[in-house]
Amino acid sequence: MGLRSFVVLAVLICAGGRLTAKMGLDSSARGETTEGLDTLAVEEAMGVMAGRELNPSFYEAQRAAHVVPIYLNTRYGSPYKVFQLESVHKATVEDVGDTGRRYHLELSVKEFISDTTEKFTAEVFFPLGEKQLPPKVQVPSLEKLTKINTKAEEDTLYQKYKTKTPLLSSDHLPDNFGNMDPDMKPFWYLCIVASSFIMLKESTENTFYNMAQVASLTQMPTENDQLKFDSTVLLHDMVSQEIPRWKLLFTWSPAEGVKALQMEQQPRCENC
Amino acid sequence: NFKTEKKLSLSGPKTISNRNLATLSLAEYDYFKYHPMEEISNWMTQMEKDHPDVMTIVDYGKTYEKRTIKLLKIGLKTDTKKKAVWMDCGIHAREWIAPAFCQYFVKQILQTYKTDTKMEEMMRNMDFYVTPVLNIDGYVYSWKDNTTRLWRKNRSPGPSSGCYGVDLNRNFDSNWGTVGVSFDCNATTYCGTQPISEPEAQAVTYFLGTRIDDFLCFLTIHSYGQLLLVPFGNPNFTASNYDELMEVGQGAAEAIRKVHGQIYRVGSSPDILYPNSGSSRDWARIQGIPMTYTFELRDNGTLGFLLPEDQIQPTCEEAYSGALHIITYTHDKTFNGAIAVTGATLWSMLLAVGVTRVTM
């Protein structure tokens, strides 16, 4: 198969999947507008394949894709809903003039508490510049991941802690052995979601963040019907291998989701 | 009270009485719990006592804080000089699953060789040199309290006050200091003042250096990331047997996947993860050991270094399968000549073996 025909075939396959995800079409609806779809598919496809094709297993695609579930955590995360990257299927990257680089990704993301996986295409734009700016993530309207029903658990947790005395206080989640009290697990999930605001803000093409541990978590009095927490979280950046420490003030309610109020990086701990 | 409980037992939910150091029985040794250094040392001593026909402890260096670095040499004793497989764990202190794997690996080969003819053959033809904890000072430090758990480096004092530790996996004499390192002694990837400035890196270098022709395989165990990494860390160099390393690596990843469904990506460090220099794996490959791999065990980042104890067993089982795939291939290539390769790769492998010690 010649290279050109391979590329065209590849983009049609990519574009077909991407468009389906974007428009949220089910298979029956797709059939009705086939002709229109094909034309649109090729036009979209030219955009998808613009730039350099990346090996989905290699670091560039992996680092960019890693940002997508972090972004989804900030938008949809909760003590019962946390997203992670499952795998990268396809990736391309293109320069956008001098402003930055845009990654087109076909990836699968999992919500790991419910073990729900969804495959979709996303775009991650890393801006270039003197000052580091956060990446911009675009995802289509998702069919599965945003429809996971966690209302009952969230409401129960919220009601329990809204007027709790004494207020929750904990540290080192998980402990040195990776263990934690089962009652604390939703709060560990909550901290992963809250940390995602930091990780999203700090992500570049040269970082790969996970939350390593919650050093401390202190509940503050409920404010405006939001549970409020002061925390110190330890992140791990795989690329530098450093453990950045952040103070993070955040809120959560089932209605409003997680909101980060204040984030402040702490000085390096010399002997940690 | 959560805090009081922790003071009594840094060893997690079990109480101190369960960890009876004085009368350690191998039959009761729990391979699916994390063990502090003292318990691992006792285990090694006990293993040697229980298996004198196949096992010897070899002291091969000292850490900065003067602890003895030991390995277990395992194999059926013969009069002839034997080929060998090297495995080290715990070069990075916080990667606790790695020492757990080395202990499991030892247990597993000792259990299997008595009933499995393939393992018996490999134990006859080769010796396994397994270092359960290489960076002992760092590992001990990571057990100190919950502020030290995420320490990575060794514990030698840096050139300026307040600076501690060198990243041992950046300190070897393999394109040292060229890429993926920091020259700031505060940094986690500080590569030291010069190649093999660190006693732990020296120990491996000198021990293997005088025996390099014996070694067929070098596996260095880390976490986390679920990766099998092949040389070289410096993107300007490609191993002469890169294709072979990749093919066998993919075979190992497939063997891993069959155990519990976990995916491990395979590739060179600069392709898959990041460029780096001064790694022990690169040094081993440059010296001529043909099959060299870095294993990055579970998980993918959810718990990262703090892998819960209930994941030790499945992680060890799958990693064992992967390691065995590489070791078996290496053994068969040397001893049987019956290798399942295509004609094209067989020829390139013959060339690779021939030029292994000449090129990088």
Side-chain angles (χ1 to χ4, degrees):
Chain A
M1 189 188 268
L3 179 63
R4 181 183 287 176
S5 22
F6 172 79
V7 168
V8 170
L9 184 64
V11 304
L12 284 175
I13 293 165
C14 286
R18 185 166 179 250
L19 260 179
T20 308
K22 251 199 171 131
M23 296 166 72
L25 295 172
D26 64 16
S27 49
S28 58
R30 238 186 293 153
E32 288 171 4
T33 54
T34 310
E35 202 183 274
L37 219 79
D38 279 345
T39 315
L40 209 55
V42 175
E43 281 171 0
E44 286 283 335
M46 298 311 273
V48 171
M49 287 305 286
R52 194 162 47 98
E53 175 130 25
L54 299 170
N55 185 320
S57 187
F58 285 12
Y59 79 88
E60 292 139 301
Q62 291 284 323
R63 286 180 200 175
H66 189 70
V67 174
V68 177
I70 289 175
Y71 165 78
L72 289 176
N73 282 339
T74 64
R75 298 275 286 117
Y76 305 107
S78 85
Y80 296 96
K81 205 174 285 170
V82 185
F83 301 99
Q84 67 180 157
L85 180 66
E86 176 86 347
S87 55
V88 185
H89 308 290
K90 282 189 172 68
T92 62
V93 67
E94 54 172 337
D95 289 312
V96 183
D98 290 337
T99 63
R101 264 193 286 275
R102 184 181 296 129
Y103 290 77
H104 300 268
L105 305 157
E106 192 185 291
L107 71 168
S108 290
V109 169
K110 179 158 87 164
E111 193 289 301
F112 63 74
I113 301 166
S114 66
D115 201 12
T116 307
T117 302
E118 188 167 358
K119 184 174 172 181
F120 56 94
T121 55
E123 278 182 21
V124 179
F125 175 74
F126 289 102
L128 288 172
E130 284 279 324
K131 187 165 168 272
Q132 188 262 326
L133 292 168
K136 294 199 182 114
V137 182
Q138 252 188 299
V139 299
S141 87
L142 298 171
E143 291 175 11
K144 291 201 251 175
L145 294 179
T146 50
K147 295 182 172 51
I148 300 162
N149 192 336
T150 50
K151 189 174 185 329
E153 308 94 300
E154 288 185 28
D155 285 344
T156 306
L157 191 77
Y158 174 72
Q159 289 305 329
K160 180 176 173 188
Y161 284 89
K162 188 176 176 188
T163 50
K164 190 180 184 301
T165 53
L167 294 166
L168 175 83
S169 175
S170 187
D171 62 289
H172 298 97
L173 293 175
D175 68 14
N176 284 2
F177 302 86
N179 300 321
M180 69 185 100
D181 190 330
D183 285 345
M184 291 309 299
K185 211 158 196 196
F187 294 98
W188 174 66
Y189 290 134
L190 183 59
C191 287
I192 296 175
V193 173
S195 297
S196 296
F197 285 86
I198 305 170
M199 297 193 282
L200 183 62
K201 181 170 97 74
E202 297 294 303
S203 283
T204 70
E205 287 164 293
N206 293 311
T207 61
F208 191 98
Y209 285 109
N210 288 297
M211 185 184 82
Q213 193 180 38
V214 181
S216 71
L217 179 68
T218 311
Q219 185 183 5
M220 308 187 75
T222 300
E223 204 175 277
N224 301 326
D225 290 332
Q226 309 300 305
L227 299 190
K228 191 172 177 184
F229 300 91
D230 192 13
S231 67
T232 301
V233 293
L234 309 181
L235 306 181
H236 172 237
D237 170 31
M238 182 71 85
V239 180
S240 66
Q241 294 292 352
E242 296 291 344
I243 307 283
R245 312 168 68 80
W246 285 78
K247 263 190 85 55
L248 175 62
L249 193 65
F250 65 94
T251 62
W252 172 68
S253 70
E256 297 294 314
V258 179
K259 303 263 180 275
L261 301 182
Q262 270 175 47
M263 310 180 235
E264 194 188 326
Q265 187 162 7
Q266 300 301 289
R268 177 206 289 270
C269 169
E270 288 310 330
N271 274 305
C272 292
Chain B
N1 174 309
F2 186 69
K3 279 187 157 59
T4 310
E5 242 176 41
K6 274 214 294 217
K7 275 198 181 117
L8 281 177
S9 169
L10 278 177
S11 314
K14 281 200 172 155
T15 60
I16 293 286
S17 65
N18 284 14
R19 300 181 175 282
N20 194 335
L21 303 179
T23 61
L24 179 73
S25 157
L26 275 184
E28 292 164 1
Y29 194 79
D30 193 341
Y31 291 91
F32 307 131
K33 287 269 175 282
Y34 294 118
H35 292 274
M37 196 60 217
E38 196 178 345
E39 289 178 10
I40 298 176
S41 296
N42 287 351
W43 169 82
M44 289 176 79
T45 307
Q46 198 60 45
M47 284 298 249
E48 188 190 32
K49 277 202 187 107
D50 280 18
H51 303 272
D53 50 333
V54 292
M55 192 179 285
T56 322
I57 292 180
V58 178
D59 295 352
Y60 68 100
K62 290 245 189 273
T63 65
Y64 177 78
E65 290 173 350
K66 299 286 178 271
R67 294 183 173 94
T68 306
I69 307 174
K70 297 168 194 259
L71 57 80
L72 290 167
K73 178 183 169 187
I74 307 162
L76 291 164
K77 290 183 173 150
T78 69
D79 292 330
T80 56
K81 197 149 92 89
K82 293 173 75 179
K83 290 295 182 188
V85 171
W86 173 273
M87 181 183 289
D88 67 75
C89 294
I91 194 172
H92 288 141
R94 59 194 180 197
E95 299 166 12
W96 285 13
I97 186 63
F101 174 66
C102 265
Q103 293 165 74
Y104 175 86
F105 179 84
V106 167
K107 169 194 82 89
Q108 210 47 29
I109 63 176
L110 285 175
Q111 220 168 274
T112 331
Y113 88 95
K114 291 185 179 142
T115 51
D116 180 294
T117 51
K118 187 66 189 177
M119 182 56 74
E120 203 236 349
E121 183 193 356
M122 295 204 285
M123 290 265 273
R124 207 174 345 103
N125 291 331
M126 305 189 299
D127 284 328
F128 294 84
Y129 290 72
V130 182
T131 303
V133 185
L134 176 55
N135 178 8
I136 303 174
D137 295 348
Y139 187 71
V140 168
Y141 188 71
S142 73
W143 274 78
K144 185 164 165 279
D145 58 51
N146 46 30
T147 67
T148 62
R149 174 63 177 85
L150 296 172
W151 186 258
R152 168 181 164 101
K153 304 187 280 183
N154 75 350
R155 291 296 296 168
S156 63
S160 54
S161 83
C163 241
Y164 267 93
V166 171
D167 185 341
L168 293 174
N169 207 35
R170 303 284 185 279
N171 189 243
F172 282 76
D173 192 4
S174 46
N175 295 305
W176 178 86
T178 53
V179 71
V181 296
S182 174
F183 290 101
D184 174 357
C185 60
N186 283 301
T188 313
T189 55
Y190 174 55
C191 56
T193 50
Q194 60 185 29
I196 44 169
S197 57
E198 302 309 297
E200 297 88 353
Q202 288 167 23
V204 175
T205 301
Y206 300 151
F207 184 80
L208 279 175
T210 53
R211 299 169 172 75
I212 211 75
D213 290 350
D214 299 341
F215 280 85
L216 302 171
C217 185
F218 179 101
L219 305 179
T220 181
I221 315 297
H222 294 242
S223 76
Y224 59 90
Q226 299 185 204
L227 310 170
L228 298 177
L229 300 170
V230 305
F232 287 104
N234 187 312
N236 295 325
F237 301 102
T238 305
S240 57
N241 66 334
Y242 172 80
D243 289 345
E244 178 190 31
L245 285 165
M246 285 300 292
E247 187 172 342
V248 178
Q250 297 289 6
E254 181 53 21
I256 289 172
R257 193 191 61 77
K258 287 203 170 98
V259 183
H260 296 298
Q262 291 294 321
I263 305 294
Y264 279 55
R265 287 183 291 133
V266 184
S268 71
S269 301
D271 282 345
I272 294 286
L273 187 60
Y274 46 56
N276 64 1
S277 56
S279 72
S280 62
R281 176 209 63 218
D282 282 0
W283 175 82
R285 186 66 195 84
I286 292 168
Q287 293 304 303
I289 303 178
M291 304 304 287
T292 63
Y293 292 87
T294 306
F295 276 54
E296 295 280 358
L297 302 181
R298 289 198 195 180
D299 62 10
N300 266 321
T302 315
L303 284 136
F305 301 116
L306 306 180
L307 194 70
E309 290 177 313
D310 65 13
Q311 283 203 49
I312 297 178
Q313 181 169 1
T315 306
C316 286
E317 286 168 348
E318 70 202 13
Y320 179 78
S321 226
L324 196 62
H325 179 91
I326 295 167
I327 291 165
T328 308
Y329 168 86
T330 306
H331 168 271
D332 289 355
K333 180 180 168 184
T334 311
F335 293 99
N336 290 1
I339 315 154
V341 288
T342 64
T345 56
L346 176 62
W347 182 237
S348 57
M349 260 163 41
L350 288 169
L351 282 174
V353 168
V355 302
T356 283
R357 303 225 161 79
V358 178
T359 62
M360 278 216 288

